[in-house]
Amino acid sequence: MNKIRIVVADDSELTRKLIVDYLSEEDDIEVVGTVTDGEEAITVIKDTMPDMVILDLVMPKVDGLGVMEEISQSENYGDCKPEYIVISAAGSEGIVSEAIRMGASYFIMKPFNGEALVKRIKQIAARTVGQPMPSVRAVSAENTKPTTYMLAVRLLRNLGVSVRMTGYKYIRDAIILAVNDSDSLASITKTIYPEIAEAHQTSSGNVERNIRYVIEVTWAGRRDPKYAALFEEIFGTDDVKPTNSRFILSCSEWINSSIQE
């Protein structure tokens, strides 16, 4: 079972403790970080890549809206943005509207009911998980299911793929498409490459070359102790570098297995 991974960001020790205590009772929720100010929130969100952030609007150093803005513009976060549940003692219409405009999924006034918070977390997770992605144009934080998207991003990160490589976004999108339709890999040059090329305004040949380069660089580092166990789990002990389609298929099969657990 994939747990809903959450960061709690609030400068009130009492509020943080109440939230963590409520969430710790849920088997399908995991708190992966708690922070007291906005700067720390930005760092922890980037490091842990949570599915959801419970975010206080009024915090030291950087406020909640600033945190959301920074994450939305962060290249290092791999284009994979969390859902936000915003909490605040200030509930003016302007503040609520701005929070929603910045990407908040829900707004809760302080003081709040812990059971209602847990219910809302699960409702948001259920709403955003499990919908098939019709095309690569939907590969975005707004339009694709967080479980598949985030698993693809985390998998590539754990295999040592740098988000700074040009081919990163191409291989990420290819894996997500293959998760939803593994048959498309049978004609990868006629289906996946053109779809990705159109979405990123480039050529199919450029997509293919950059994916191949990502695989070459990644495969060369497979014996690094940080990555070796996962490589063996996904690709076995075969030393032969996989083709583009084999690499993408193996990654997509691993993600599908993770989703089904």
Side-chain angles (χ1 to χ4, degrees):
M1 176 180 65
N2 292 308
K3 293 188 177 183
I4 306 167
R5 303 172 69 258
I6 292 178
V7 165
V8 179
D10 196 298
D11 64 336
S12 166
E13 182 178 357
L14 176 59
T15 301
R16 291 195 310 275
K17 185 178 185 305
L18 287 172
I19 292 173
V20 171
D21 285 347
Y22 272 110
L23 300 187
S24 65
E25 299 294 323
E26 303 300 317
D27 293 336
D28 56 350
I29 294 176
E30 177 185 7
V31 177
V32 296
T34 60
V35 298
T36 61
D37 65 67
E39 286 185 358
E40 189 180 8
I42 292 167
T43 298
V44 171
I45 292 169
K46 289 180 179 179
D47 288 345
T48 62
M49 300 182 69
D51 302 305
M52 203 171 295
V53 179
I54 299 175
L55 182 66
D56 187 12
L57 280 184
V58 182
M59 290 189 296
K61 298 183 179 179
V62 180
D63 64 18
L65 295 178
V67 171
M68 295 169 71
E69 182 176 12
E70 173 65 23
I71 294 300
S72 71
Q73 297 174 354
S74 173
E75 294 180 358
N76 292 337
Y77 196 61
D79 297 328
C80 185
K81 310 303 187 294
E83 301 283 335
Y84 295 95
I85 293 181
V86 169
I87 56 176
S88 180
S92 72
E93 183 176 345
I95 292 176
V96 174
S97 298
E98 183 65 11
I100 292 174
R101 186 187 69 79
M102 291 294 297
S105 298
Y106 198 73
F107 187 95
I108 296 179
M109 284 284 296
K110 292 181 179 180
F112 55 86
N113 179 282
E115 293 179 357
L117 174 62
V118 170
K119 180 180 179 181
R120 194 63 60 190
I121 288 170
K122 294 186 178 183
Q123 285 177 337
I124 292 170
R127 184 190 70 210
T128 55
V129 172
Q131 297 302 315
M133 185 179 63
S135 79
V136 76
R137 298 184 189 87
V139 180
S140 67
E142 293 77 21
N143 297 322
T144 193
K145 56 182 182 180
T147 295
T148 299
Y149 189 93
M150 290 182 180
L151 280 172
V153 169
R154 290 173 190 150
L155 174 58
L156 290 173
R157 179 189 62 190
N158 291 336
L159 288 173
V161 180
S162 171
V163 298
R164 298 185 182 277
M165 299 177 73
T166 301
Y168 166 83
K169 57 184 176 292
Y170 301 154
I171 197 168
R172 176 203 64 198
D173 293 359
I175 290 169
I176 294 172
L177 287 171
V179 167
N180 290 283
D181 182 13
S182 60
D183 291 340
S184 62
L185 287 169
S187 55
I188 188 171
T189 58
K190 296 181 179 179
T191 54
I192 289 181
Y193 291 161
E195 182 76 8
I196 294 173
E198 182 179 356
H200 293 283
Q201 297 183 332
T202 187
S203 67
S204 294
N206 191 45
V207 170
E208 187 276 333
R209 285 190 298 273
N210 277 282
I211 287 178
R212 180 166 15 100
Y213 179 72
V214 167
I215 294 172
E216 287 175 357
V217 173
T218 304
W219 193 253
R222 71 190 183 283
R223 301 198 188 283
D224 187 314
K226 293 185 295 184
Y227 313 126
L230 184 58
F231 266 98
E232 184 171 341
E233 179 182 345
I234 296 175
F235 303 103
T237 57
D238 192 348
D239 281 339
V240 178
K241 179 174 66 70
T243 63
N244 287 14
S245 57
R246 173 50 57 183
F247 188 96
I248 294 166
L249 177 61
S250 296
C251 289
S252 68
E253 288 177 340
W254 185 87
I255 288 175
N256 271 323
S257 297
S258 299
I259 293 172
Q260 292 167 9
E261 289 180 357

